[in-house]
Amino acid sequence: MEAGAGEAAPSAPRRLTLPWKVRLLLLCLDVVAGLSMRRDGTINRSIFNLFDLRATASTRPDRQGVRSADVDASRGLWARVFWPSPESSAAPLPVVVYFHGGAFTLLSAASYVYDAMCRRFCRELGAVVVSVNYRLAPEHRWPAAYEDGVAMLRYLASAGLPDSVDVPVDLSRCFLAGDSAGANIAHHVAQRWTTASSPPRSIPVHLAGAILVQPYFGGEERTEAEVRLDGNVPVVTVRGSDWMWRAFLPEGADRNHSAAHVTDDNADLADGFPPVMVVIGGFDPLQEWQRRYADVLRRRGKEVRVVEFPDAIHTFFLFPELTDHGTLVEAMKAFIREQRI
Ligand SMILES: *[C@@H]1O[C@H](CO)[C@@H](O)[C@H](O)[C@H]1NC(C)=O
Ligand SMILES: *[C@@H]1O[C@H](CO)[C@@H](O)[C@H](O)[C@H]1NC(C)=O
């Protein structure tokens, strides 16, 4: 029997279409991850590093005038700072503290993809970007990455930005941002920073907002989207997610641990917890956890903006060739502009 035109349309599932170049890159990623992520929860970093191309920082302006430098914060913790040319703005610039993605276990602030992404954020958002090279699991499990994020804010509050950053900055307009596991870290750093009793700071760092792009949240439950999309979309699988949580969470913890399961109504949220923008993709198995997170924030009286990309896979923002990539940067720009204090 034939369905009449229009009859099937409203409930017809969307089809995932990706350019061949993106498919090829995803296939490579899949192969490399499969080779380097061992079943026992450890990683063969020498295999992964072969494919993790690195970029070095440079105080010589790139073609768009962006410069970068690596700064040491404390105990081996460093960040890559990106700043635009002084001619780009006379007004003090907001600061975006960025946490890269990579399943809590992979990549770095020097990885080529994140160096390129932070350059673009710096240029197009008109912000100084501080990309944090937090410690990775399984060598450094929870809460090492969160502690590194807080340590970086503490460093900014005591030392400010290095002298080579010759543009005016406004650390009272500081945004935490990240993608995937990095967005999970941004949430927890915001929570820790705003609930901690604040020691005297020479420079007032104020969190004006948090931008969570496809945050990695989860729990013991399997959501409808996890079940429906498992094995049918690239990057995120139930098996891969379980592996990642086992590598990151304390030994013996289950996925209901507070690091993963942030969707409880009694989560510890301070008054100063900043407005949040949550980016959600329609082909991301994690989408229900992300919507629940937004709902919890709303119920707790927090400002939250949800930006939905119905055709987006997890990690879509890594591919500048996808049009959603440009739309995301525009949405981030609008959010930052609106958080005035
Ligand atoms: C990582 O994998 C390569 C290739 O299979 C192997 O030669 C090497 O010994 C492994 N390294 C470790 C530390 O297991
Ligand atoms: C995990 O939390 C859910 C509530 O979100 C609960 O129903 C479930 O029993 C918990 N599972 C474990 C193993 O604690």
Side-chain angles (χ1 to χ4, degrees), residues 24 46 62 115 152 202 209 215 226 234 266 274 287 305 335 339:
L24 195 65
S46 46
D62 67 12
D115 185 274
M152 187 53 69
S202 44
E226 281 173 316
N266 48 12
Q287 58 190 282
R305 172 176 308 171
F335 179 78
Q339 311 307 316

Side-chain angles (χ1 to χ4, degrees), residues 234-258:
V235 190
V236 173
T237 61
V238 165
R239 203 165 134 253
S241 293
D242 290 357
W243 181 92
M244 182 201 76
W245 290 121
R246 273 200 308 279
F248 176 66
L249 295 174
E251 306 258 10
D254 67 27
R255 296 185 305 276
N256 276 3
H257 188 277
S258 61

Side-chain angles (χ1 to χ4, degrees), residues 18-188:
L18 291 168
W20 67 265
K21 190 180 158 197
V22 173
R23 283 169 189 273
L24 195 65
L25 285 167
L26 287 167
L27 188 68
C28 291
L29 183 74
D30 208 36
V31 170
V32 175
L35 287 173
S36 46
M37 293 163 139
R38 302 191 188 99
R39 212 182 275 180
D40 66 0
T42 61
I43 295 177
N44 184 326
R45 297 207 179 271
S46 46
I47 294 184
F48 189 79
N49 289 347
L50 287 177
F51 297 88
D52 180 17
L53 305 179
R54 308 290 173 102
T56 48
S58 173
T59 49
R60 279 191 31 209
D62 67 12
R63 269 181 303 173
Q64 275 84 26
V66 174
R67 288 164 291 162
S68 59
D70 292 341
V71 296
D72 283 311
S74 66
R75 296 176 292 103
L77 171 65
W78 60 272
R80 182 161 295 179
V81 180
F82 301 83
W83 66 99
S85 72
E87 296 87 61
S88 65
S89 169
L93 300 176
V95 175
V96 174
V97 177
Y98 198 81
F99 298 92
H100 68 81
F104 297 106
T105 55
L106 302 169
L107 300 167
S108 74
S111 292
Y112 179 81
V113 277
Y114 282 103
D115 185 274
M117 189 188 286
C118 289
R119 274 173 199 284
R120 182 168 183 186
F121 287 157
C122 173
R123 190 174 72 238
E124 296 190 21
L125 303 177
V128 171
V129 179
V130 177
S131 180
V132 184
N133 197 61
Y134 58 86
R135 284 170 292 168
L136 300 177
E139 294 86 345
H140 303 280
R141 292 168 178 273
W142 173 92
Y146 303 168
E147 288 173 351
D148 287 352
V150 171
M152 187 53 69
L153 291 181
R154 219 178 278 132
Y155 168 81
L156 291 174
S158 62
L161 287 157
D163 292 339
S164 50
V165 178
D166 55 359
V167 290
V169 296
D170 180 2
L171 279 162
S172 70
R173 286 184 70 219
C174 188
F175 291 81
L176 299 183
D179 63 86
S180 194
N184 171 299
I185 297 168
H187 161 78
H188 285 283

Side-chain angles (χ1 to χ4, degrees), residues 14-16 18 211-215 229 277-285 287 290-291 305-317 319 322-333:
R14 301 179 86 93
R15 285 202 36 196
L16 179 59
L18 291 168
I211 300 173
L212 309 189
V213 181
Q214 302 188 304
L229 295 173
M277 169 172 145
V278 187
V279 175
I280 301 177
F283 285 102
D284 184 350
Q287 58 190 282
Q290 297 157 355
R291 289 195 194 96
R305 172 176 308 171
V306 171
V307 184
E308 296 260 2
F309 290 90
D311 295 316
I313 59 166
H314 196 77
T315 69
F316 74 97
F317 45 82
F319 305 102
L322 300 176
T323 49
D324 281 344
H325 186 284
T327 316
L328 170 65
V329 178
E330 286 305 311
M332 291 170 75
K333 192 172 173 174

Side-chain angles (χ1 to χ4, degrees), residues 191-245:
Q191 192 182 33
R192 282 167 180 243
W193 183 256
T194 51
T195 50
S197 57
S198 45
R201 295 165 182 149
S202 44
I203 304 163
V205 168
H206 175 259
L207 298 187
I211 300 173
L212 309 189
V213 181
Q214 302 188 304
Y216 228 115
F217 296 138
E220 281 297 313
E221 182 194 338
R222 304 290 188 201
T223 64
E224 186 275 330
E226 281 173 316
V227 173
R228 175 169 49 88
L229 295 173
D230 189 38
N232 298 318
V233 292
V235 190
V236 173
T237 61
V238 165
R239 203 165 134 253
S241 293
D242 290 357
W243 181 92
M244 182 201 76
W245 290 121

